[in-house]
Amino acid sequence: MKTNILRWWLPAIMSISSMLLAMKADKPAYRIYTAKGHESNYSDLLDDARKADVVFFGEMHDNPICHWLEYELACDLYKETGKNLILGAEMFETDNQLILDEYLSGKIVEKNFEAEAKLWPNYKTDYKPLITLAHDSAIEFVATNIPRRYASLVNKLGFEGLESLNAEAKRLMAPLPIVYDANLPGYKKMIENMGEAGQAHSTGNLPKAQAIKDATMAWRILSHLSKGKVFLHFNGSYHSENYEGILWYLRQANPGLKIVTISSSEQTDMRNLDKKSEGVADYILVTPESMTKTR
């Protein structure tokens, strides 16, 4: 009798053991966690995103999984919302909006767009798929970031440096004067991360340069957002982590917005979310530290 039972259960035991070994040997490319550190999934993220007014995908600029999932999320949101989807990104500056619109509307060809626009070094691998989606689907893509020359001006002279610009230049940034809270943890941390030597030579303008970027991105998002639309925005995680940065400026203007945030991080062990990443966003995308880079 015992022999018959063993003969019956042995294949099942071996099968379960094989499955457990396979699971142990698996190397997932990413995992998604909630703000509280509970494991979640892409389906839940997508469901929340489609019900939001604004979705921030905080990326690591050189992480291929971030860029792949950005594209997948954009495609899936388009399937569910159609022309009510708006895309926007830190990687495109406001003075490139004209040429971007000309390409998306078919007025100029791709070759001219790529030759004349200010594109990041990893554009073709990481951001071109998003632009192509907008082009092929005839959906809006908003260049949200302030031209870098003006952020550099703030880093050198503070917000006062912007006042001397002409009206045409000022149309490329959030309306002046810029509201600024130097006590926001994210901005304070920028100075702290410079170390003692850096702090000794700092004028305090570095976080102001970050703030003019955040304020301009918030202003651009608000100026293109309308009822029933979903604005999916791509930016470095530091611009939206801890619900600061761009979100702080959005909340100043419209505290009633429904916002979903995604942050990205790398971990050696992805089985649990690192404590330092808890609470930084609604969803935290975790990838292996050994993940290859895109530039």
Side-chain angles (χ1 to χ4, degrees):
M1 187 67 164
K2 289 182 180 179
T3 303
N4 290 336
I5 292 174
L6 184 61
R7 187 181 298 117
W8 177 264
W9 281 104
L10 188 58
I13 293 170
M14 292 178 66
S15 177
I16 292 171
S17 297
S18 297
M19 288 174 61
L20 291 172
L21 285 171
M23 289 172 65
K24 185 177 180 180
D26 192 24
K27 289 183 176 290
Y30 75 92
R31 281 187 172 153
I32 295 174
Y33 292 92
T34 66
K36 294 183 178 180
H38 302 309
E39 190 161 5
S40 187
N41 55 62
Y42 177 77
S43 179
D44 287 345
L45 187 158
L46 175 62
D47 188 51
D48 277 351
R50 68 180 178 83
K51 293 181 286 190
D53 298 312
V54 186
V55 181
F56 287 97
F57 200 123
E59 66 170 44
M60 291 175 287
H61 297 317
D62 59 359
N63 186 291
I65 296 300
C66 287
H67 298 300
W68 166 70
L69 208 61
E70 286 172 342
Y71 178 73
E72 292 296 318
L73 182 59
C75 289
D76 288 337
L77 281 176
Y78 175 71
K79 290 175 186 175
E80 298 205 20
T81 64
K83 297 297 179 65
N84 285 327
L85 177 64
I86 304 171
L87 302 180
E90 167 199 1
M91 300 81 194
F92 298 88
E93 298 169 18
T94 54
D95 56 351
N96 270 188
Q97 187 67 62
L98 176 61
I99 191 171
L100 180 56
D101 287 343
E102 288 173 342
Y103 170 60
L104 294 179
S105 63
K107 291 182 175 64
I108 63 172
V109 297
E110 180 180 77
K111 180 181 178 181
N112 293 122
F113 167 69
E114 293 185 355
E116 298 181 41
K118 292 183 293 183
L119 302 175
W120 283 28
N122 57 332
Y123 166 76
K124 288 190 175 181
T125 55
D126 299 340
Y127 304 112
K128 184 173 180 175
L130 297 170
I131 295 295
T132 301
L133 172 64
H135 177 275
D136 294 346
S137 305
I139 56 177
E140 193 173 8
F141 199 110
V142 183
T144 62
N145 207 357
I146 188 171
R148 66 193 71 182
R149 60 188 181 274
Y150 299 141
S152 296
L153 182 61
V154 172
N155 191 33
K156 181 180 179 181
L157 301 175
F159 295 127
E160 295 79 10
L162 301 175
E163 297 293 348
S164 62
L165 298 173
N166 64 30
E168 185 178 357
K170 290 177 181 178
R171 282 196 289 270
L172 298 174
M173 64 191 72
L176 303 177
I178 298 297
V179 177
Y180 175 65
D181 185 352
N183 292 315
L184 286 175
Y187 295 152
K188 290 177 69 175
K189 190 175 181 181
M190 292 187 74
I191 297 295
E192 293 170 4
N193 286 345
M194 296 175 70
E196 291 184 8
Q199 291 176 40
H201 293 85
S202 173
T203 61
N205 287 336
L206 180 61
K208 291 180 182 179
Q210 178 87 341
I212 190 61
K213 294 180 180 181
D214 293 334
T216 298
M217 286 189 270
W219 167 64
R220 293 285 287 169
I221 290 169
L222 287 168
S223 64
H224 288 79
L225 192 61
S226 58
K227 188 174 182 180
K229 299 281 188 178
V230 178
F231 197 121
L232 175 57
H233 191 263
F234 308 104
N235 53 265
S237 281
Y238 43 86
H239 284 292
S240 53
E241 276 185 346
N242 298 304
Y243 309 96
E244 294 181 25
I246 309 170
L247 276 79
W248 186 84
Y249 283 98
L250 281 183
R251 296 296 192 200
Q252 301 303 304
N254 190 341
L257 286 175
K258 180 173 175 52
I259 299 173
V260 171
T261 60
I262 304 162
S263 182
S264 304
S265 68
E266 295 178 339
Q267 296 182 189
T268 303
D269 185 347
M270 300 197 301
R271 288 175 295 181
N272 295 289
L273 182 66
D274 284 352
K275 289 293 182 182
K276 66 180 181 181
S277 294
E278 289 185 8
V280 301
D282 297 314
Y283 291 95
I284 297 90
L285 169 66
V286 179
T287 56
E289 282 189 348
S290 58
M291 180 60 61
T292 53
K293 307 305 179 187
T294 58
R295 62 172 181 174

